[in-house]
Amino acid sequence: MGNFYIELKQTLQTVLDWSESFKKGYRNYKFDIDDELFKLSEKHRKNFQAGDLLLIYNLLDFYCDAIKHDFDNIDINYSLGQARSDIKSVIDEIGKNSEINLPHVLKERLKNLC
């Protein structure tokens, strides 16, 4: 697995850990997923503005914003629980090989966020 995918997987897990801590009262508003993904994209020359990486970017961005604002949903048809589950699915997909092939159902759900 390439370093980019290892670091992306770590970033996804960091988001999940951060959100759990945030919900438990450790309100770290300084955590900025935009900065994290920008650094990752610059370091590995990856484009988070297209394809599956854009879908992942939007998922993480909306999820973190919803957590910071104490929302229960990202969208009327997309709960934080579903988003958390989707982030875990992305982590699992990255673990299978050194690329990202999001399942069709997940891709369609994330496309509706845009």
Side-chain angles (χ1 to χ4, degrees):
M1 202 178 325
N3 286 338
F4 170 74
Y5 296 103
I6 292 169
E7 290 182 42
L8 178 58
K9 192 172 180 177
Q10 290 169 342
T11 301
L12 291 162
Q13 188 59 53
T14 297
V15 167
L16 294 177
D17 295 342
W18 166 82
S19 68
E20 281 303 306
S21 294
F22 196 92
K23 289 179 189 178
K24 290 178 181 174
Y26 181 69
R27 302 219 168 224
N28 179 4
Y29 288 99
K30 292 182 181 180
F31 178 75
D32 188 344
I33 192 60
D34 292 321
D35 285 346
E36 297 297 318
L37 295 177
F38 177 76
K39 290 175 196 172
L40 191 59
S41 69
E42 289 291 305
K43 181 177 180 181
H44 296 283
R45 300 178 198 258
K46 296 290 183 178
N47 183 3
F48 278 92
Q49 296 179 1
D52 287 353
L53 289 178
L54 175 61
L55 297 176
I56 293 168
Y57 172 86
N58 286 336
L59 170 61
L60 296 175
D61 188 44
F62 289 132
Y63 180 77
C64 290
D65 285 348
I67 294 292
K68 286 180 181 179
H69 291 96
D70 291 320
F71 296 154
D72 294 326
N73 297 306
I74 291 174
D75 190 24
I76 194 164
N77 296 318
Y78 196 56
S79 70
L80 282 181
Q82 181 64 60
R84 183 175 181 76
S85 177
D86 288 346
I87 293 169
K88 289 178 181 179
S89 294
V90 174
I91 290 171
D92 291 342
E93 285 301 314
I94 293 171
K96 291 179 182 175
N97 53 46
S98 62
E99 58 184 46
I100 301 171
N101 290 314
L102 299 178
H104 178 72
V105 173
L106 177 56
K107 266 188 183 184
E108 291 304 311
R109 189 167 38 249
L110 296 179
K111 284 179 184 177
N112 290 327
L113 289 177
C114 301

